[in-house]
Amino acid sequence: MSLIEIRNLTFAYPGSFDNVFEGLNLRLDTSWRLGLVGRNGRGKTTLLHLLDGSLEGTGRLSCPERPLYFPRPVSQPQRPALQVLMEGIPEEDEWRLLRELHKLGLEEELLSRPFQSLSGGEQTRARLAALFLAEDGYPLIDEPTNHLDEEGRALAARYLRGLNRGFLLVSHDRAFLDGCVDHILALNPAGQELIRGDFSTWYREKEN
């Protein structure tokens, strides 16, 4: 078991009078398929960037695995999709990329096309496939459904649900969360709430 440990974490953006987090304490198992929810402005994306090191607060934050933020910027999107997706991945793992693309309903032919010519949904699914080729990291997935239609969301949820590894997922899509997570971390005005179950389980408990 590998744990992310957050102790007394406080963070505010420069020039802000209000802390996004103040004295935050959490222990998160990296094997969980963890959904992160909360209203806009509660710090969901901020927490991902604190975990990946692109933001820094005070307190203690320990992530034992290499953080893999999704979606990361694409340099030179006019390159063939294969080059973009295999960036940082050994060439001999190309067969694994093809396998993951197939699971997400994508054909091999798109790899020869310029990455920028792929639709938003194709780019999202292809990048998800590449994300999970890195076995030594912990995926931090930020709003992956923005460019996905209903079929694409169902494919992506089924794909994430079938993975034999954990991730931290930010999404506002309740059905998508129900389709792929087994824990929920909610960032509420009164503090954080962590439960075992999907979004509907958490929502029922909240309503009760």
Side-chain angles (χ1 to χ4, degrees), residues 6 16 41-42 47 50 52 57 71 100 102-103 126 128 149 190 193:
I6 297 172
S16 172
R42 293 295 175 207
L47 181 58
L50 286 164
D52 76 8
E100 302 308 296
H102 180 71
K103 291 178 184 177
L128 273 178
D149 59 17
E193 197 178 355

Side-chain angles (χ1 to χ4, degrees), residues 16-66:
S16 172
F17 294 104
D18 299 315
N19 290 329
V20 181
F21 297 113
E22 186 165 354
L24 179 66
N25 292 287
L26 288 170
R27 295 179 83 226
L28 308 173
D29 190 327
T30 58
S31 70
W32 294 341
R33 295 194 296 271
L34 177 61
L36 179 57
V37 301
R39 292 185 178 177
N40 289 337
R42 293 295 175 207
K44 300 183 297 299
T45 295
T46 300
L47 181 58
L48 297 193
H49 286 310
L50 286 164
L51 288 168
D52 76 8
S54 56
L55 294 176
E56 187 174 351
T58 61
R60 181 171 176 269
L61 192 156
S62 170
C63 186
E65 301 178 36
R66 179 169 63 99

Side-chain angles (χ1 to χ4, degrees), residues 33-108:
R33 295 194 296 271
L34 177 61
L36 179 57
V37 301
R39 292 185 178 177
N40 289 337
R42 293 295 175 207
K44 300 183 297 299
T45 295
T46 300
L47 181 58
L48 297 193
H49 286 310
L50 286 164
L51 288 168
D52 76 8
S54 56
L55 294 176
E56 187 174 351
T58 61
R60 181 171 176 269
L61 192 156
S62 170
C63 186
E65 301 178 36
R66 179 169 63 99
L68 302 172
Y69 181 80
F70 175 97
R72 61 184 176 84
V74 173
S75 62
Q76 299 177 296
Q78 72 276 12
R79 290 178 296 158
L82 178 62
Q83 290 183 19
V84 171
L85 298 173
M86 291 295 291
E87 207 166 80
I89 298 167
E91 286 184 20
E92 57 267 26
D93 282 346
E94 185 178 330
W95 69 271
R96 295 178 56 225
L97 175 62
L98 297 177
R99 181 189 64 190
E100 302 308 296
L101 289 174
H102 180 71
K103 291 178 184 177
L104 283 156
L106 297 172
E107 300 296 332
E108 181 179 350

Side-chain angles (χ1 to χ4, degrees), residues 115-129:
F115 183 78
Q116 63 189 9
S117 74
L118 275 57
S119 70
E122 287 174 331
Q123 290 184 15
T124 296
R125 284 185 283 156
R127 294 171 78 183
L128 273 178

